[in-house]
Amino acid sequence: MKTVHGHIPRKRFGQNFLHDPGIVARILAAVDARPGQRLVEIGPGLGAITLPLLRACGRLEAVELDRDLIPRLVEQARGVGELVIHHGDVLDFDFAALAGSGEKLRLVGNLPYNISTPLLFHLLAQAHAIADMHFMLQKEVVERMAAGPGEEAYSRLSVMVQYRCRVQPLFLIRPGAFNPPPKVDSAFVRLLPHPRPPVAVADETRFAQVVQLAFGQRRKTLRNSLKGLLESSAIAACGIDPGARPQTLSLPQFAALANAIG
Ligand code: SAM
């Protein structure tokens, strides 16, 4: 197994380390970190973005699961700035508690692709504590986050992310920018949590349930996938064809369906 700076990359931790200085510079420019801001990096790894971020803002917190990487990060940060590392699984990390009643957090990360969907849902639930997010993800995941009704990539993730955030895909990255190279293309994306959701939803759990059920079987019509929750007549009363498929529905239409459940 090839090592990267003396470390054997762990596949189970989704370790693909960024080594292209041009991409690091583009990430830094997109994030535009300033002293005093509350930056938190997810998965600092060998420090490719950590150190430049620390130089830019003087203080940085990071969440890293791989214990073996922590001593070298601490060592690298010496004399550069204050690096606070939280050892643990980001899927259990309470960002809202970290933000407390202070300034909202700015999250940055070249994310472990193997947990990207659960991680995005974990973060969306805490979006009220987050100022913005800049993430490297698998290109297809960014396409799904940004897609609109009628597009091939439009999915549950599109609706749930867009309910919470404005999505700005920024640039693509080829596998060769990483060591080891992943099998997929990557994309860098900015997520800006809405101050208020763009549509009124009476019960967010219901909304999430409707979206999940509707996209659970994409080929099924709403009449079938929402059986038990909403009668055809109730779907039609929202101005939506019960014979429609989920890929054609807008965010306000999903909200209308959720709000129609008695
Ligand atoms: N930021 C580094 C870079 O750009 O080179 C590393 C990126 S690598 C794709 C993902 C990083 O996330 C690794 O450092 C890995 O150990 C860490 N990681 C994986 N799963 C994690 C989890 N559940 N919680 C926190 N960190 C995790």
Side-chain angles (χ1 to χ4, degrees):
M1 177 59 94
K2 268 175 78 175
T3 61
V4 182
H5 298 292
H7 173 80
I8 299 176
R10 294 191 161 102
K11 212 174 166 177
R12 71 175 190 283
F13 290 163
Q15 291 180 348
N16 300 96
F17 299 109
L18 196 56
H19 70 92
D20 181 330
I23 299 294
V24 173
R26 290 181 80 179
I27 291 175
L28 264 287
V31 176
D32 191 21
R34 302 294 170 96
Q37 294 177 337
R38 302 186 68 193
L39 270 98
V40 184
E41 186 184 358
I42 298 173
L46 295 169
I49 5 189
T50 320
L51 273 292
L53 278 176
L54 196 56
R55 259 177 230 117
C57 64
R59 185 180 194 277
L60 178 71
E61 304 210 23
V63 186
E64 175 57 65
L65 182 57
D66 188 342
R67 183 191 301 276
D68 292 351
L69 296 172
I70 294 175
R72 81 165 68 204
L73 284 164
V74 171
E75 184 55 37
Q76 285 174 321
R78 207 183 297 277
V80 180
E82 188 188 348
L83 176 63
V84 179
I85 303 179
H86 304 271
H87 172 236
D89 188 341
V90 66
L91 292 173
D92 297 328
F93 193 80
D94 191 340
F95 290 93
L98 179 65
S101 56
E103 287 260 310
K104 290 185 184 187
L105 308 176
R106 302 194 66 201
L107 306 191
V108 182
N110 170 12
L111 300 183
Y113 296 174
N114 52 340
I115 57 162
S116 52
T117 304
L119 177 53
L120 287 167
F121 278 94
H122 180 64
L123 298 172
L124 292 178
Q126 306 180 66
H128 57 281
I130 299 171
D132 61 13
M133 301 176 249
H134 287 83
F135 292 147
M136 176 87 76
L137 285 158
Q138 190 174 332
K139 187 180 116 201
E140 279 71 21
V141 174
V142 172
E143 284 171 353
R144 281 200 276 135
M145 291 197 296
E151 290 179 44
E152 180 61 30
Y154 191 57
S155 62
R156 173 186 174 220
L157 188 66
S158 325
V159 179
M160 298 310 292
V161 170
Q162 290 167 31
Y163 174 66
R164 293 275 179 221
C165 304
R166 190 141 64 88
V167 182
Q168 295 179 337
L170 297 179
F171 50 89
L172 298 181
I173 304 101
R174 299 286 170 216
F178 305 91
N179 198 351
K183 291 199 172 59
V184 293
D185 283 333
S186 303
F188 197 66
V189 65
R190 177 184 292 135
L191 300 175
L192 298 162
H194 300 299
R196 251 164 283 100
V199 290
V201 164
D203 180 335
E204 290 184 344
T205 308
R206 276 262 159 82
F207 172 69
Q209 188 188 11
V210 165
V211 177
Q212 184 165 22
L213 277 176
F215 280 107
Q217 290 145 309
R218 293 170 70 87
R219 303 283 160 228
K220 277 199 176 177
T221 60
L222 295 172
R223 177 190 294 118
N224 283 322
S225 56
L226 300 183
K227 208 172 247 166
L229 267 189
L230 279 173
E231 297 292 329
S232 283
S233 55
I235 298 175
C238 297
I240 299 167
D241 174 7
R245 292 190 164 72
Q247 303 90 293
T248 63
L249 259 58
S250 65
L251 176 56
Q253 287 177 312
F254 277 111
L257 288 176
N259 291 340
I261 299 171

